[in-house]
Amino acid sequence: MLVPTTHEKNSIKSPNLKTLLSKFYKKMDLPKYDGNIFPDEWINIIQKYYYFWKSRYNLETLEYLDFVKSLIDPTITLSTGIDSFEKLRNALKEDISFTVFKNTNKRKLQSLNYDPERKGGDTSKFISTFRKLCYNAEINDIEEQKKYLYKSLPNNHFDYISNEFYNKMKNVKSINELTKEFEDIILEESNLIRNESIVALKHVASGKYLSSINNLCYETGSNDQLVCSEPDPNSLWRIKSNKKGLITYADTFINLQHVRSNKFLGISSYCVVYPYRYKYYRSPSNNTEVNLGKIENNWNLKHSKLENHQGYLKSNDIINLSIKKLYDNNGYSTKNGQIEFLRSHGIRFTVGDAIFHEVICINEKPGENDEWYIELIHEVEIL
């Protein structure tokens, strides 16, 4: 803060008061009022400097107001008799420029769009802008604020956003609560798994990841690319759904494509008696072998802890994956094939000198060895 010299202090009541004030406030870069700032905000800045001068030099309000009026754009008409900051505030709000200012901010609010971080957006800046526009447009009613915030949300995955927004916002009573609930929705939405997301599947019981090594194949069974559970960098999978957008537990099926090899997780069969009878390849432990191939296999997705859950698939959900066989135990095609669950267990197998933990499919009631954490690794771009 600039402090007047002794000579300037003694001159504070002189006829050159306005010149002196003008000199100091130009140095302090005091903002002028041209109708592009909320009057309350401008008055608060002006008052801050007034209190400084008054406390030190007994500056009268009218003297200071006379100077302050010179900072107001000449196109803004002020009524006579303004002898207080409150009257000045009201006069600025009565001018047509304030109506234009409010309506401009309301239109900006109507066109405001939220972009999530994965699309280059910034939630903190968005909320700051939203609150500032509400303030400038004098939109103080919480229900009206809710409508503007809701309108700003992207229409991608509209059902999810709509339901979550309604459920979380219905009891909100202040803009601070509104901000908190909005942040909770955005945080939860960022953990939703979408078609084409990159995920990892962590075996709950062992802590190892569902993995495969490009072109490393079983030495028994199908001789296709092996699948194992290891703490391994080859554990990234692209999840594919029969629907675009968010994946739900109500979706018919998913496919899992190994990122490194571009092959699909599944089970495979071979012909026993052409062209009618087929058998599935067996794993080293004589269960249904799980391998990678070029053909998409449809996996059914269920939440392990919530029975009949139909909600959205989220990162860190514990899931069961199952697959329906296309052939019965006699090798004949069937529409009511046996359901088998993806399992990792303590049995190991070898390929050359390397030892791996086996992953199989098995027709048993799912237990802890059939549970997998699904972890979102990389999100897809939402157009």
mmCIF file of all heavy atoms in Angstrom, residues 294-323:
data_model
loop_
_atom_site.group_PDB
_atom_site.id
_atom_site.type_symbol
_atom_site.label_atom_id
_atom_site.label_comp_id
_atom_site.label_asym_id
_atom_site.label_seq_id
_atom_site.Cartn_x
_atom_site.Cartn_y
_atom_site.Cartn_z
ATOM 1 N N LYS A 294 -8.426 -65.393 -31.975
ATOM 2 C CA LYS A 294 -8.885 -64.306 -32.836
ATOM 3 C C LYS A 294 -10.404 -64.137 -32.804
ATOM 4 O O LYS A 294 -10.925 -63.140 -33.306
ATOM 5 C CB LYS A 294 -8.429 -64.560 -34.275
ATOM 6 C CG LYS A 294 -6.910 -64.537 -34.433
ATOM 7 C CD LYS A 294 -6.506 -64.779 -35.881
ATOM 8 C CE LYS A 294 -4.996 -64.742 -36.045
ATOM 9 N NZ LYS A 294 -4.579 -64.985 -37.447
ATOM 10 N N ILE A 295 -11.106 -65.111 -32.235
ATOM 11 C CA ILE A 295 -12.564 -65.076 -32.219
ATOM 12 C C ILE A 295 -13.048 -64.465 -30.906
ATOM 13 O O ILE A 295 -12.579 -64.837 -29.821
ATOM 14 C CB ILE A 295 -13.151 -66.492 -32.394
ATOM 15 C CG1 ILE A 295 -12.711 -67.071 -33.745
ATOM 16 C CG2 ILE A 295 -14.677 -66.463 -32.300
ATOM 17 C CD1 ILE A 295 -13.148 -68.502 -33.956
ATOM 18 N N GLU A 296 -13.992 -63.536 -30.981
ATOM 19 C CA GLU A 296 -14.566 -62.923 -29.789
ATOM 20 C C GLU A 296 -15.417 -63.939 -29.038
ATOM 21 O O GLU A 296 -16.258 -64.610 -29.632
ATOM 22 C CB GLU A 296 -15.419 -61.707 -30.169
ATOM 23 C CG GLU A 296 -14.622 -60.589 -30.815
ATOM 24 C CD GLU A 296 -15.493 -59.397 -31.170
ATOM 25 O OE1 GLU A 296 -16.710 -59.467 -30.915
ATOM 26 O OE2 GLU A 296 -14.960 -58.412 -31.712
ATOM 27 N N ASN A 297 -15.186 -64.051 -27.741
ATOM 28 C CA ASN A 297 -16.005 -64.888 -26.877
ATOM 29 C C ASN A 297 -16.833 -63.995 -25.974
ATOM 30 O O ASN A 297 -16.333 -62.997 -25.435
ATOM 31 C CB ASN A 297 -15.118 -65.798 -26.016
ATOM 32 C CG ASN A 297 -14.663 -67.045 -26.773
ATOM 33 O OD1 ASN A 297 -14.909 -68.167 -26.351
ATOM 34 N ND2 ASN A 297 -13.970 -66.844 -27.897
ATOM 35 N N ASN A 298 -18.081 -64.332 -25.795
ATOM 36 C CA ASN A 298 -18.992 -63.510 -25.011
ATOM 37 C C ASN A 298 -18.974 -63.935 -23.540
ATOM 38 O O ASN A 298 -19.304 -65.082 -23.203
ATOM 39 C CB ASN A 298 -20.416 -63.628 -25.559
ATOM 40 C CG ASN A 298 -20.514 -63.110 -26.968
ATOM 41 O OD1 ASN A 298 -19.726 -62.264 -27.391
ATOM 42 N ND2 ASN A 298 -21.490 -63.609 -27.726
ATOM 43 N N TRP A 299 -18.600 -62.975 -22.683
ATOM 44 C CA TRP A 299 -18.553 -63.216 -21.247
ATOM 45 C C TRP A 299 -19.700 -62.497 -20.558
ATOM 46 O O TRP A 299 -19.977 -61.336 -20.847
ATOM 47 C CB TRP A 299 -17.227 -62.721 -20.672
ATOM 48 C CG TRP A 299 -16.045 -63.505 -21.147
ATOM 49 C CD1 TRP A 299 -15.301 -63.280 -22.265
ATOM 50 C CD2 TRP A 299 -15.482 -64.662 -20.522
ATOM 51 N NE1 TRP A 299 -14.305 -64.217 -22.386
ATOM 52 C CE2 TRP A 299 -14.384 -65.085 -21.322
ATOM 53 C CE3 TRP A 299 -15.772 -65.390 -19.366
ATOM 54 C CZ2 TRP A 299 -13.595 -66.185 -20.998
ATOM 55 C CZ3 TRP A 299 -14.982 -66.489 -19.041
ATOM 56 C CH2 TRP A 299 -13.917 -66.879 -19.846
ATOM 57 N N ASN A 300 -20.338 -63.203 -19.650
ATOM 58 C CA ASN A 300 -21.391 -62.600 -18.843
ATOM 59 C C ASN A 300 -20.770 -61.957 -17.610
ATOM 60 O O ASN A 300 -19.851 -62.509 -16.996
ATOM 61 C CB ASN A 300 -22.418 -63.653 -18.428
ATOM 62 C CG ASN A 300 -23.551 -63.060 -17.626
ATOM 63 O OD1 ASN A 300 -23.568 -63.156 -16.412
ATOM 64 N ND2 ASN A 300 -24.502 -62.441 -18.305
ATOM 65 N N LEU A 301 -21.291 -60.800 -17.255
ATOM 66 C CA LEU A 301 -20.719 -59.986 -16.187
ATOM 67 C C LEU A 301 -21.709 -59.890 -15.033
ATOM 68 O O LEU A 301 -22.875 -59.544 -15.238
ATOM 69 C CB LEU A 301 -20.417 -58.595 -16.745
ATOM 70 C CG LEU A 301 -19.799 -57.542 -15.846
ATOM 71 C CD1 LEU A 301 -18.342 -57.869 -15.573
ATOM 72 C CD2 LEU A 301 -19.910 -56.175 -16.525
ATOM 73 N N LYS A 302 -21.256 -60.208 -13.814
ATOM 74 C CA LYS A 302 -22.110 -60.062 -12.634
ATOM 75 C C LYS A 302 -21.304 -59.477 -11.488
ATOM 76 O O LYS A 302 -20.109 -59.743 -11.353
ATOM 77 C CB LYS A 302 -22.710 -61.409 -12.204
ATOM 78 C CG LYS A 302 -23.796 -61.913 -13.128
ATOM 79 C CD LYS A 302 -24.490 -63.142 -12.561
ATOM 80 C CE LYS A 302 -25.633 -63.590 -13.473
ATOM 81 N NZ LYS A 302 -26.319 -64.780 -12.934
ATOM 82 N N HIS A 303 -21.996 -58.680 -10.672
ATOM 83 C CA HIS A 303 -21.369 -58.153 -9.465
ATOM 84 C C HIS A 303 -21.321 -59.263 -8.427
ATOM 85 O O HIS A 303 -22.332 -59.902 -8.134
ATOM 86 C CB HIS A 303 -22.167 -56.950 -8.931
ATOM 87 C CG HIS A 303 -21.412 -56.092 -7.978
ATOM 88 N ND1 HIS A 303 -21.037 -56.527 -6.717
ATOM 89 C CD2 HIS A 303 -20.937 -54.818 -8.092
ATOM 90 C CE1 HIS A 303 -20.390 -55.554 -6.096
ATOM 91 N NE2 HIS A 303 -20.311 -54.511 -6.908
ATOM 92 N N SER A 304 -20.145 -59.484 -7.863
ATOM 93 C CA SER A 304 -19.973 -60.613 -6.951
ATOM 94 C C SER A 304 -20.665 -60.396 -5.613
ATOM 95 O O SER A 304 -21.066 -61.360 -4.961
ATOM 96 C CB SER A 304 -18.477 -60.858 -6.712
ATOM 97 O OG SER A 304 -18.281 -61.909 -5.797
ATOM 98 N N LYS A 305 -20.830 -59.136 -5.192
ATOM 99 C CA LYS A 305 -21.344 -58.846 -3.857
ATOM 100 C C LYS A 305 -22.798 -58.387 -3.845
ATOM 101 O O LYS A 305 -23.428 -58.377 -2.791
ATOM 102 C CB LYS A 305 -20.475 -57.771 -3.192
ATOM 103 C CG LYS A 305 -18.988 -58.127 -3.105
ATOM 104 C CD LYS A 305 -18.756 -59.402 -2.309
ATOM 105 C CE LYS A 305 -17.277 -59.723 -2.189
ATOM 106 N NZ LYS A 305 -17.026 -60.992 -1.479
ATOM 107 N N LEU A 306 -23.302 -57.974 -4.999
ATOM 108 C CA LEU A 306 -24.672 -57.451 -5.063
ATOM 109 C C LEU A 306 -25.487 -58.322 -6.012
ATOM 110 O O LEU A 306 -25.328 -58.261 -7.231
ATOM 111 C CB LEU A 306 -24.678 -55.998 -5.540
ATOM 112 C CG LEU A 306 -23.887 -55.004 -4.678
ATOM 113 C CD1 LEU A 306 -23.847 -53.639 -5.347
ATOM 114 C CD2 LEU A 306 -24.489 -54.902 -3.279
ATOM 115 N N GLU A 307 -26.369 -59.105 -5.466
ATOM 116 C CA GLU A 307 -27.145 -60.042 -6.274
ATOM 117 C C GLU A 307 -28.120 -59.289 -7.171
ATOM 118 O O GLU A 307 -28.780 -58.333 -6.756
ATOM 119 C CB GLU A 307 -27.906 -61.012 -5.362
ATOM 120 C CG GLU A 307 -28.586 -62.151 -6.098
ATOM 121 C CD GLU A 307 -29.216 -63.155 -5.159
ATOM 122 O OE1 GLU A 307 -29.055 -63.009 -3.930
ATOM 123 O OE2 GLU A 307 -29.861 -64.090 -5.652
ATOM 124 N N ASN A 308 -28.194 -59.707 -8.419
ATOM 125 C CA ASN A 308 -29.096 -59.112 -9.415
ATOM 126 C C ASN A 308 -28.849 -57.613 -9.624
ATOM 127 O O ASN A 308 -29.762 -56.870 -9.992
ATOM 128 C CB ASN A 308 -30.562 -59.339 -9.025
ATOM 129 C CG ASN A 308 -30.921 -60.810 -8.974
ATOM 130 O OD1 ASN A 308 -30.484 -61.601 -9.809
ATOM 131 N ND2 ASN A 308 -31.710 -61.192 -7.971
ATOM 132 N N HIS A 309 -27.627 -57.191 -9.389
ATOM 133 C CA HIS A 309 -27.286 -55.775 -9.582
ATOM 134 C C HIS A 309 -27.347 -55.429 -11.067
ATOM 135 O O HIS A 309 -26.775 -56.110 -11.906
ATOM 136 C CB HIS A 309 -25.891 -55.503 -9.035
ATOM 137 C CG HIS A 309 -25.468 -54.072 -9.119
ATOM 138 N ND1 HIS A 309 -26.198 -53.047 -8.549
ATOM 139 C CD2 HIS A 309 -24.390 -53.474 -9.710
ATOM 140 C CE1 HIS A 309 -25.589 -51.903 -8.779
ATOM 141 N NE2 HIS A 309 -24.493 -52.127 -9.486
ATOM 142 N N GLN A 310 -28.062 -54.336 -11.391
ATOM 143 C CA GLN A 310 -28.233 -53.926 -12.783
ATOM 144 C C GLN A 310 -27.609 -52.562 -13.069
ATOM 145 O O GLN A 310 -27.860 -51.973 -14.114
ATOM 146 C CB GLN A 310 -29.737 -53.869 -13.111
ATOM 147 C CG GLN A 310 -30.459 -55.199 -12.936
ATOM 148 C CD GLN A 310 -29.990 -56.236 -13.938
ATOM 149 O OE1 GLN A 310 -30.090 -56.037 -15.152
ATOM 150 N NE2 GLN A 310 -29.475 -57.350 -13.445
ATOM 151 N N GLY A 311 -26.805 -52.057 -12.136
ATOM 152 C CA GLY A 311 -26.240 -50.721 -12.286
ATOM 153 C C GLY A 311 -25.044 -50.672 -13.215
ATOM 154 O O GLY A 311 -24.772 -51.599 -13.991
ATOM 155 N N TYR A 312 -24.307 -49.567 -13.112
ATOM 156 C CA TYR A 312 -23.166 -49.337 -13.997
ATOM 157 C C TYR A 312 -21.910 -50.013 -13.459
ATOM 158 O O TYR A 312 -21.687 -50.086 -12.252
ATOM 159 C CB TYR A 312 -22.924 -47.839 -14.161
ATOM 160 C CG TYR A 312 -24.044 -47.140 -14.886
ATOM 161 C CD1 TYR A 312 -25.088 -46.557 -14.184
ATOM 162 C CD2 TYR A 312 -24.060 -47.075 -16.277
ATOM 163 C CE1 TYR A 312 -26.130 -45.919 -14.849
ATOM 164 C CE2 TYR A 312 -25.089 -46.448 -16.953
ATOM 165 C CZ TYR A 312 -26.123 -45.875 -16.230
ATOM 166 O OH TYR A 312 -27.150 -45.259 -16.889
ATOM 167 N N LEU A 313 -21.078 -50.481 -14.367
ATOM 168 C CA LEU A 313 -19.814 -51.103 -14.016
ATOM 169 C C LEU A 313 -18.821 -50.008 -13.628
ATOM 170 O O LEU A 313 -18.582 -49.080 -14.387
ATOM 171 C CB LEU A 313 -19.281 -51.910 -15.200
ATOM 172 C CG LEU A 313 -17.943 -52.617 -15.013
ATOM 173 C CD1 LEU A 313 -18.033 -53.678 -13.916
ATOM 174 C CD2 LEU A 313 -17.496 -53.258 -16.331
ATOM 175 N N LYS A 314 -18.229 -50.145 -12.436
ATOM 176 C CA LYS A 314 -17.333 -49.124 -11.911
ATOM 177 C C LYS A 314 -15.974 -49.731 -11.595
ATOM 178 O O LYS A 314 -15.859 -50.903 -11.273
ATOM 179 C CB LYS A 314 -17.917 -48.503 -10.635
ATOM 180 C CG LYS A 314 -19.260 -47.848 -10.814
ATOM 181 C CD LYS A 314 -19.815 -47.374 -9.484
ATOM 182 C CE LYS A 314 -21.226 -46.802 -9.648
ATOM 183 N NZ LYS A 314 -21.792 -46.405 -8.336
ATOM 184 N N SER A 315 -14.965 -48.891 -11.661
ATOM 185 C CA SER A 315 -13.630 -49.314 -11.269
ATOM 186 C C SER A 315 -13.642 -49.780 -9.822
ATOM 187 O O SER A 315 -14.280 -49.165 -8.962
ATOM 188 C CB SER A 315 -12.636 -48.158 -11.438
ATOM 189 O OG SER A 315 -11.316 -48.575 -11.209
ATOM 190 N N ASN A 316 -12.950 -50.881 -9.565
ATOM 191 C CA ASN A 316 -12.831 -51.508 -8.252
ATOM 192 C C ASN A 316 -14.056 -52.306 -7.834
ATOM 193 O O ASN A 316 -14.113 -52.780 -6.696
ATOM 194 C CB ASN A 316 -12.470 -50.488 -7.160
ATOM 195 C CG ASN A 316 -11.104 -49.883 -7.383
ATOM 196 O OD1 ASN A 316 -10.154 -50.587 -7.715
ATOM 197 N ND2 ASN A 316 -11.000 -48.571 -7.225
ATOM 198 N N ASP A 317 -15.025 -52.479 -8.724
ATOM 199 C CA ASP A 317 -16.092 -53.456 -8.464
ATOM 200 C C ASP A 317 -15.470 -54.853 -8.410
ATOM 201 O O ASP A 317 -14.480 -55.146 -9.085
ATOM 202 C CB ASP A 317 -17.136 -53.431 -9.586
ATOM 203 C CG ASP A 317 -18.155 -52.321 -9.407
ATOM 204 O OD1 ASP A 317 -18.055 -51.583 -8.410
ATOM 205 O OD2 ASP A 317 -19.035 -52.195 -10.281
ATOM 206 N N ILE A 318 -16.058 -55.716 -7.592
ATOM 207 C CA ILE A 318 -15.656 -57.120 -7.557
ATOM 208 C C ILE A 318 -16.660 -57.896 -8.404
ATOM 209 O O ILE A 318 -17.863 -57.864 -8.137
ATOM 210 C CB ILE A 318 -15.617 -57.661 -6.123
ATOM 211 C CG1 ILE A 318 -14.610 -56.866 -5.292
ATOM 212 C CG2 ILE A 318 -15.254 -59.143 -6.107
ATOM 213 C CD1 ILE A 318 -14.526 -57.284 -3.837
ATOM 214 N N ILE A 319 -16.164 -58.566 -9.433
ATOM 215 C CA ILE A 319 -17.052 -59.181 -10.412
ATOM 216 C C ILE A 319 -16.783 -60.672 -10.566
ATOM 217 O O ILE A 319 -15.734 -61.182 -10.181
ATOM 218 C CB ILE A 319 -16.911 -58.494 -11.790
ATOM 219 C CG1 ILE A 319 -15.493 -58.710 -12.339
ATOM 220 C CG2 ILE A 319 -17.256 -57.007 -11.695
ATOM 221 C CD1 ILE A 319 -15.326 -58.246 -13.786
ATOM 222 N N ASN A 320 -17.781 -61.353 -11.125
ATOM 223 C CA ASN A 320 -17.637 -62.719 -11.631
ATOM 224 C C ASN A 320 -17.814 -62.681 -13.139
ATOM 225 O O ASN A 320 -18.687 -61.972 -13.659
ATOM 226 C CB ASN A 320 -18.695 -63.650 -11.038
ATOM 227 C CG ASN A 320 -18.596 -63.800 -9.532
ATOM 228 O OD1 ASN A 320 -19.574 -63.621 -8.818
ATOM 229 N ND2 ASN A 320 -17.411 -64.122 -9.031
ATOM 230 N N LEU A 321 -16.979 -63.428 -13.840
ATOM 231 C CA LEU A 321 -17.095 -63.565 -15.286
ATOM 232 C C LEU A 321 -17.435 -65.012 -15.608
ATOM 233 O O LEU A 321 -16.764 -65.934 -15.127
ATOM 234 C CB LEU A 321 -15.789 -63.170 -15.970
ATOM 235 C CG LEU A 321 -15.454 -61.678 -15.990
ATOM 236 C CD1 LEU A 321 -14.016 -61.461 -16.421
ATOM 237 C CD2 LEU A 321 -16.415 -60.922 -16.908
ATOM 238 N N SER A 322 -18.449 -65.182 -16.419
ATOM 239 C CA SER A 322 -18.838 -66.544 -16.804
ATOM 240 C C SER A 322 -19.060 -66.616 -18.308
ATOM 241 O O SER A 322 -19.284 -65.605 -18.968
ATOM 242 C CB SER A 322 -20.112 -66.980 -16.065
ATOM 243 O OG SER A 322 -21.205 -66.148 -16.409
ATOM 244 N N ILE A 323 -18.991 -67.831 -18.826
ATOM 245 C CA ILE A 323 -19.162 -68.047 -20.253
ATOM 246 C C ILE A 323 -20.052 -69.269 -20.463
ATOM 247 O O ILE A 323 -20.002 -70.224 -19.678
ATOM 248 C CB ILE A 323 -17.785 -68.229 -20.942
ATOM 249 C CG1 ILE A 323 -17.910 -68.118 -22.452
ATOM 250 C CG2 ILE A 323 -17.110 -69.512 -20.507
ATOM 251 C CD1 ILE A 323 -16.559 -67.980 -23.153
#
